[in-house]
Amino acid sequence: MGGTVAADGVTARDLGLRGPRGWAFRAVSFEAGPGSLITIEGPSGSGRTCLLLALTGRMKPTEGTATVAGAELPRRMAAVRRVGALAHVPGVTDLDPALTVAEHLSERALLQRRFGDSLRALLRPRQEGRAARRERIESALTAAGLDLESLPKGARTAVRDLERAEALRLSLALALIARPRVLGVDDTDLKLSDVERVAIWELLRSIAASGTTVLAVCSEAPDGTVRVSTAGTAEEADTGADTESESESESESESDENGTDGKGAADAIAQAGRA
């Protein structure tokens, strides 16, 4: 795969990650330009979440290379993390069910101002800073398609009272507050109705069309995306059990209930190198 890599595009060449019990994924190669919707497709336990975390600089690949937004992995993982954001990743971006939507948004905006923005933004007068945070939150909500007025108690709705699609949109909004150049989304189509699934994919297409490169984990990718499959990429037949959990019984339970690679991601982070 040759050619010049676009600044905000994503490429991978023979990328692989070995966890504590075997290969999570291996020999993954693809190329996508800036503003692409990249779908990481495969069955639960095939290393989808691990690949997502590797491509967003959160997990260190064991072999191969990738280039994300002009930064090479694994050499420049910190640079990739600075331009990327994650949404809906179990064990990484979990929402607090006891907090309200407003509390989540306010907390994320404050954290972004404190740790993610420039020193100049941090030194803004208090009133100007509050206005900037409100504008950033409203912009993220619009981009995520989350209408607070449609929620049972508006912005005061607790996360535990959100429908699954609403919680996904909230997680997307929280990630978009950082105005990332690369957005990673896990479990995009898990437990959604057909109508909800179509709406979420249209939303992700609109985010990509705005210039943000989107990486989305799913069980079945829609047409018109850059498809990356993890099915059959690992050499070991037991890779699902190898990367899903610390014990076989826990692996089967988690996979059946959640349909996610989240536990495998946590195990592989610990063993393969955490950012």
Side-chain angles (χ1 to χ4, degrees), residues 4-266:
T4 302
V5 178
D8 293 315
V10 179
T11 67
R13 292 179 176 86
D14 296 321
L15 199 67
L17 187 147
R18 186 178 179 88
R21 296 174 179 269
W23 290 97
F25 61 85
R26 201 174 191 188
V28 172
S29 297
F30 69 93
E31 183 169 352
S36 296
L37 174 52
I38 305 162
T39 48
I40 301 175
E41 180 184 44
S44 176
S46 63
R48 302 173 306 176
T49 300
C50 291
L51 178 56
L52 177 72
L53 294 176
L55 290 171
T56 51
R58 271 74 176 181
M59 294 178 67
K60 187 176 182 180
T62 307
E63 63 181 16
T65 61
T67 304
V68 180
E72 186 177 327
L73 294 171
R75 189 170 60 88
R76 300 185 61 200
M77 294 175 66
V80 172
R81 291 196 300 274
R82 282 195 294 270
V83 300
L86 290 172
H88 207 235
V89 182
V92 180
T93 64
D94 297 316
L95 303 174
D96 188 330
L99 294 182
T100 67
V101 172
E103 287 168 338
H104 273 287
L105 292 166
S106 178
E107 179 185 57
R108 181 60 59 88
L110 287 170
L111 288 172
Q112 177 63 32
R113 178 175 181 268
R114 177 65 181 84
F115 298 107
D117 288 346
S118 65
L119 179 61
R120 181 178 180 181
L122 188 60
L123 295 176
R124 284 174 176 169
R126 183 174 299 177
Q127 186 173 355
E128 184 179 339
R130 283 199 297 266
R133 288 197 299 275
R134 284 196 300 271
E135 188 278 329
R136 180 166 284 202
I137 289 173
E138 290 171 3
S139 177
L141 287 170
T142 299
L146 182 60
D147 179 11
L148 298 185
E149 296 301 319
S150 68
L151 301 179
K153 296 181 181 179
R156 295 183 294 106
T157 303
V159 165
R160 67 166 65 92
D161 296 325
L162 295 177
E163 299 292 337
R164 187 168 185 85
E166 293 169 340
L168 174 55
R169 288 179 185 272
L170 174 58
S171 189
L172 287 168
L174 294 173
L176 291 170
I177 284 176
R179 294 174 179 167
R181 291 157 59 187
V182 178
L183 172 65
V185 190
D186 198 10
D187 286 342
T188 303
D189 55 0
L190 180 66
K191 296 183 180 179
L192 296 180
S193 68
D194 290 342
V195 172
E196 291 171 334
R197 191 175 295 114
V198 169
I200 290 298
W201 283 120
E202 286 304 314
L203 171 63
L204 294 180
R205 283 192 176 93
S206 71
I207 293 173
S210 71
T212 300
T213 300
V214 178
L215 291 150
V217 168
C218 60
S219 57
E220 184 176 355
D223 294 334
T225 67
V226 179
R227 294 193 183 197
V228 180
S229 177
T230 56
T233 61
E235 287 187 342
E236 298 181 22
D238 294 332
T239 184
D242 289 343
T243 58
E244 280 291 316
S245 72
E246 295 176 355
S247 72
E248 227 172 69
S249 60
E250 290 175 352
S251 170
E252 292 172 359
S253 174
E254 178 127 10
S255 177
D256 291 343
E257 181 178 352
N258 299 323
T260 179
D261 300 319
K263 178 61 178 172

